[in-house]
Amino acid sequence: RNRTNEHTVPNTPVNIDIDINLAQYNNLNFIGGWVYLSGGFNGIIVHRSTVDIFAAYDRQAPYQVADRCRVNVDSNNVTCSDDCSGSEWLLYDGQLVKGPASYPLRQYRTSFDGVRLNISN
């Protein structure tokens, strides 16, 4: 497979701390809920995978990074995709569902204490 159009998303320092009880993060109080945050290389998606597990990804599509294509959550709330290539990834673990991209989303570390969610790398 020719990967000349693909690049890894640049590693940008991230250290975000949010209180999920604040109104703007209300969706994170539900399993399967998600929000967009600013930060990272091109924004961040946070997804609540289980009661205790949150996943955070850079919104920069790992395909033709120079085009700065952003990943958006799909209406099914299970996948996200970029409009430039139509590639699709799972919100649960960031793995690729459909190409032409062949890399997973850039994932950030998360820790959760029941109220505060920290996102870092």
Side-chain angles (χ1 to χ4, degrees):
R1 176 180 256 182
N2 179 349
R3 292 189 174 190
T4 56
N5 287 332
E6 295 185 74
H7 308 281
T8 54
V9 174
N11 195 8
T12 307
V14 170
N15 190 5
I16 299 169
D17 200 49
I18 62 171
D19 177 341
I20 70 160
N21 292 322
L22 294 174
Q24 66 263 42
Y25 307 123
N26 187 52
N27 278 355
L28 293 178
N29 286 300
F30 307 96
I31 293 170
W34 57 272
V35 296
Y36 294 133
L37 299 177
S38 53
F41 181 72
N42 199 3
I44 293 173
I45 299 172
V46 181
H47 176 260
R48 187 165 196 165
S49 306
T50 70
V51 171
D52 300 315
I53 297 172
F54 291 81
Y57 311 103
D58 203 288
R59 289 185 68 192
Q60 175 61 53
Y63 184 78
Q64 296 177 324
V65 172
D67 293 348
R68 302 281 293 194
C69 269
R70 233 179 198 182
V71 170
N72 295 298
V73 175
D74 297 325
S75 58
N76 61 18
N77 291 323
V78 174
T79 57
C80 56
S81 55
D82 83 76
D83 294 338
C84 301
S85 74
S87 298
E88 232 173 75
W89 296 266
L90 283 175
L91 285 171
Y92 181 77
D93 61 5
Q95 291 305 304
L96 184 70
V97 176
K98 181 176 104 184
S102 55
Y103 290 110
L105 296 174
R106 176 180 281 283
Q107 189 162 4
Y108 297 110
R109 278 196 300 274
T110 58
S111 61
F112 182 60
D113 68 7
V115 175
R116 299 199 75 78
L117 175 65
N118 180 264
I119 301 155
S120 63
N121 54 1

